Amino acid sequence: MAIHSRTLRIFGKHWMKPLTLIALLLPGAWIFGNWALMLAYLPHEMGFNPVEYTHRFLGDTAIRVLLVTLLVTPVRDITGWAPIILIRRRIGMAAFFYAALHILAYLWLDKMWSLAALWEDVLLRQYITFGMASFALLIPLALTSTNTAIRKLGRQTWQRIHYLIYPLAILAVLHHYFMVKGFQIEPLVHGGILAVLLLWRVVKWVGPVFTKKSATA
Amino acid sequence: MKFTRNPRYQDLRNEVADEHAFFNRRQALRAAGVATAGIALTTGVACSEPQQGGPTGTSAGSAHPKPGAGIEASPTKWKVSDDTTPEDAVTGYCNFYEFGTQKTDPPRYADAMTVSPWSIAVTGMTDAPGTYTVNDLVDYDALEERIYRHRCVEAWSMVVPWVGVPLAGIIDKLKPTAEAKYVEFETYLNKDEMRGVRYPVIDWPYIEGLRLDEARNELSFMAVGVFGKAMPKQNGAPLRTVVPWKYGFKGCKSIVRISFTDKEPRTAWNKANANEYGFYSNVNPNVDHPRWSQASERIIGGRGFNPRRETDMFNGYEAQVAHLYEGMDLTKNF
Ligand code: HEM
């Protein structure tokens, strides 16, 4: 046991955590770099509608990082590689930061920092209603993701709060789905991946109930 | 003798509805061309020399310029005071969902589309049904350049120097009957050449339409080029409509059929989502799209970051078109 936790610490401290951090920072570096190039009147990769590109890039990054967060547990269950759980919290935090950047970009570039105008959109426009609902649920998860918070809340309460990730991920997919024009494949791909990840939990939780029943029968 | 629609053509069109048979429009047009050519000759209907569509059918009359070839056009009074959008933005940022839903898909994939020879079937309530070449409809010696603002329903805009002829002249040439109230346009559809139609983004083929008085308005334009060159494929080669007081999607690209009817056409986006895309779709800053505001627009092009501009009623063409909608509630008829 002692050896095990020591291994965990070594994994955690020495390579996985910083590596994950770098990977999680890459999309941010990409968008900031491109904005810097654009503002310096240099060629950039954001095409002819950099604002739309920014919204889509940050939105996609937020939802994909969120899906990766949800992938951590199944990967651990399948591979039995426990240390991977050490990076779950920081991936989740990155999803929160990208979602926050996504909303700030919208508030800045499209709403001229008017919170009233943003709120009007939340009330009026279905896809933004879903986006805001999703983000609203992300906030308590981010706030309770410090070591102190986890210690104070206790593992169980913390776990219970963090079940919010399931509905908020669904809301984020709905946000994407209701945004696009016509029938498009991208939100369905995100939705499909999410469905598989959620189904994994359902099978994991409900499965044992059935096996127990059949065992007693 | 009165012609409505070529019955053979109708049969072929019905096949489109059959999900198993995404058919090759080229073949349909060839068949329609042959059939109508026969009718036209035997009855002496005065349509311009009917042409056999299809990749092998060539005739002197069908030699419209290749995409990108230089074409001459005379300047007109139609100019927007703002800077013209850079050419690479106009040809590099396109909505042409037949090639994919990303703005960069059409420039990347439209090259696969065959645009020469080309034929346009004219059907419905007309005294001049038949199959026409681009040159039959468009007089390349009388091209005009019109610099219009192009306002997309997605709340962005460009300033585009189109080259073409007034749509009114084409409508006159095609002799709609007295009962005809609307004109319907259809975009080319070919699953081998258009990778985007593999997905049911909308109910293909793309259909657009106008009230006849709208189509005859002095602003309505049949464009065959842009920036002094024959139309690039991604912008709707070889010919497309431009209706500058309406959202961009009201323009129909790569037109293969023009029909006259007395019923409001079931347009593609209206069928896909009637709450969001009305038949009229006039640019109107006071009527929002359910999912976003239409009060302002992003300006496309330039290398820096452009501030948004306030959207103008009828995209700035109120003086020319407001009378078309007198007495209509534009909130209901959006
Ligand atoms: C108040 C909250 C939010 C607002 C105002 C907002 C706004 C937007 C806007 C303006 C777009 C682009 C629309 C366009 O290009 O026309 C967008 C797209 C998107 N957003 Fe959000 N969003 C919010 C929350 C979220 C959250 C919490 C997530 C994910 C965790 C998210 C994920 C996405 C995704 C995946 C897209 C689509 C990107 C694409 O098309 O490639 N959004 N959002």
Side-chain angles (χ1 to χ4, degrees):
Chain A
M1 185 63 212
I3 292 168
H4 188 57
S5 64
R6 217 178 100 82
T7 328
L8 282 190
R9 221 172 31 246
I10 288 167
F11 266 126
K13 288 248 188 308
H14 288 272
W15 62 273
M16 216 162 42
K17 281 187 167 185
L19 220 63
T20 313
L21 187 67
I22 289 166
L24 290 170
L25 284 174
L26 285 177
W30 170 262
I31 198 77
F32 276 105
N34 271 292
W35 268 83
L37 288 172
M38 181 178 73
L39 294 177
Y41 294 96
L42 292 167
H44 60 81
E45 295 293 319
M46 297 190 289
F48 298 106
N49 191 345
V51 174
E52 183 191 65
Y53 179 91
T54 304
H55 291 333
R56 297 197 167 173
F57 181 84
L58 289 172
D60 275 337
T61 307
I63 202 164
R64 285 170 194 173
V65 173
L66 196 64
L67 293 174
V68 173
T69 316
L70 285 166
L71 186 66
V72 171
T73 307
V75 165
R76 184 201 54 188
D77 292 349
I78 291 168
T79 63
W81 190 43
I84 196 177
I85 222 72
L86 287 174
I87 59 170
R88 189 175 61 178
R89 204 162 17 120
R90 87 180 22 198
I91 302 175
M93 283 304 281
F96 169 78
F97 279 120
Y98 282 113
L101 272 181
H102 173 60
I103 293 164
L104 282 176
Y106 183 70
L107 192 59
W108 170 37
L109 300 167
D110 284 310
K111 300 287 127 177
M112 313 302 160
W113 295 117
S114 162
L115 285 172
L118 178 68
W119 185 244
E120 193 184 300
D121 277 348
V122 171
L123 298 180
L124 229 60
R125 315 200 191 284
Q126 200 178 32
Y127 85 101
I128 296 193
T129 313
F130 283 120
M132 187 49 104
S134 175
F135 188 69
L137 298 183
L138 258 173
I139 294 170
L141 304 201
L143 290 179
T144 55
S145 283
T146 59
N147 287 333
T148 335
I150 296 173
R151 218 176 311 114
K152 276 203 184 133
L153 289 167
R155 195 78 215 176
Q156 273 228 308
T157 318
W158 187 86
Q159 182 60 267
R160 240 179 249 137
I161 294 172
H162 281 249
Y163 285 145
L164 281 176
I165 195 170
Y166 306 129
L168 84 82
I170 295 171
L171 287 165
V173 169
L174 288 175
H175 166 67
H176 191 180
Y177 181 79
F178 284 110
M179 182 209 98
V180 300
K181 250 174 38 170
F183 171 90
Q184 295 193 28
I185 217 81
E186 293 85 357
L188 300 179
V189 171
H190 288 153
I193 294 170
L194 178 62
V196 171
L197 293 171
L198 292 184
L199 218 64
W200 174 264
R201 269 84 181 176
V202 174
V203 170
K204 198 167 102 179
W205 294 328
V206 179
V209 178
F210 283 111
T211 27
K212 227 186 248 165
K213 265 191 194 150
S214 54
T216 49
Chain B
M1 188 167 176
K2 190 169 151 275
F3 289 98
T4 48
R5 203 174 232 174
N6 179 329
R8 173 88 180 106
Y9 188 72
Q10 184 62 58
D11 283 346
L12 286 158
R13 265 182 55 67
N14 287 342
E15 276 178 42
V16 176
D18 181 347
E19 56 180 312
H20 301 298
F22 261 114
F23 74 129
N24 183 332
R25 177 155 303 278
R26 281 282 159 211
Q27 283 168 354
L29 281 178
R30 191 183 305 142
V34 171
T36 44
I39 295 164
L41 288 175
T42 52
T43 57
V45 171
C47 65
S48 320
E49 40 165 342
Q51 184 243 345
Q52 301 179 15
T56 52
T58 49
S59 72
S62 73
H64 55 274
K66 291 204 161 41
I71 48 177
E72 299 260 321
S74 45
T76 59
K77 63 171 174 167
W78 303 108
K79 281 194 177 77
V80 173
S81 58
D82 296 336
D83 287 345
T84 299
T85 305
E87 184 174 352
D88 59 350
V90 172
T91 58
Y93 186 82
C94 315
N95 272 328
F96 196 161
Y97 278 12
E98 280 82 343
F99 296 105
T101 54
Q102 302 295 312
K103 300 290 191 294
T104 45
D105 285 340
R108 203 172 290 157
Y109 302 118
D111 205 39
M113 175 166 67
T114 310
V115 296
S116 189
W118 190 268
S119 43
I120 301 110
V122 174
T123 64
M125 298 175 161
T126 161
D127 292 328
T131 308
Y132 294 78
T133 65
V134 180
N135 300 58
D136 292 336
L137 299 184
V138 176
D139 179 358
Y140 278 83
D141 294 327
L143 296 180
E144 300 177 5
E145 180 173 80
R146 296 188 175 194
I147 305 174
Y148 282 155
R149 193 183 308 280
H150 181 84
R151 170 61 158 81
C152 179
V153 71
E154 297 165 355
W156 52 262
S157 70
M158 296 180 173
V159 175
V160 185
W162 301 109
V163 173
V165 295
L167 186 56
I170 294 179
I171 302 283
D172 288 343
K173 213 180 270 184
L174 298 180
K175 299 191 174 74
T177 62
E179 305 93 81
K181 298 237 156 29
Y182 298 91
V183 56
E184 184 175 304
F185 302 96
E186 180 178 323
T187 298
Y188 180 55
L189 174 66
N190 180 329
K191 76 163 183 345
D192 297 327
E193 298 181 0
M194 300 170 138
R195 66 207 308 281
V197 303
R198 286 181 271 175
Y199 305 106
V201 180
I202 54 162
D203 183 11
W204 312 109
Y206 195 82
I207 305 281
E208 253 314 327
L210 296 169
R211 235 167 49 193
L212 266 184
D213 59 339
E214 294 178 317
R216 286 186 160 124
N217 184 276
E218 59 179 329
L219 288 170
S220 297
F221 203 52
M222 183 66 87
V224 294
V226 67
F227 290 98
K229 296 175 197 148
M231 194 68 77
K233 292 181 180 182
Q234 64 267 35
N235 296 92
L239 80 173
R240 61 165 293 167
T241 50
V242 176
V243 196
W245 72 95
K246 292 174 179 285
Y247 293 121
F249 72 88
K250 289 299 291 181
C252 192
K253 301 191 185 79
S254 307
I255 296 170
V256 293
R257 180 175 61 82
I258 302 177
S259 299
F260 297 96
T261 81
D262 57 357
K263 288 185 196 65
E264 190 178 285
R266 293 282 283 135
T267 57
W269 280 110
N270 186 249
K271 269 195 283 187
N273 196 337
N275 295 329
E276 301 190 352
Y277 309 100
F279 174 74
Y280 286 98
S281 288
N282 294 317
V283 175
N284 187 340
N286 308 313
V287 177
D288 282 352
H289 184 281
R291 282 176 287 158
W292 53 83
S293 164
Q294 295 292 26
S296 66
E297 62 210 36
R298 288 185 201 132
I299 300 166
I300 301 297
R303 283 192 304 175
F305 159 59
N306 299 319
R308 295 178 79 95
R309 81 180 282 282
E310 302 279 307
T311 293
D312 298 316
M313 187 65 200
F314 294 117
N315 204 21
Y317 300 101
E318 195 163 7
Q320 290 80 31
V321 300
H323 68 273
L324 292 168
Y325 310 102
E326 237 155 60
M328 281 173 66
D329 181 350
L330 295 178
T331 319
K332 289 207 186 80
N333 297 286
F334 55 85

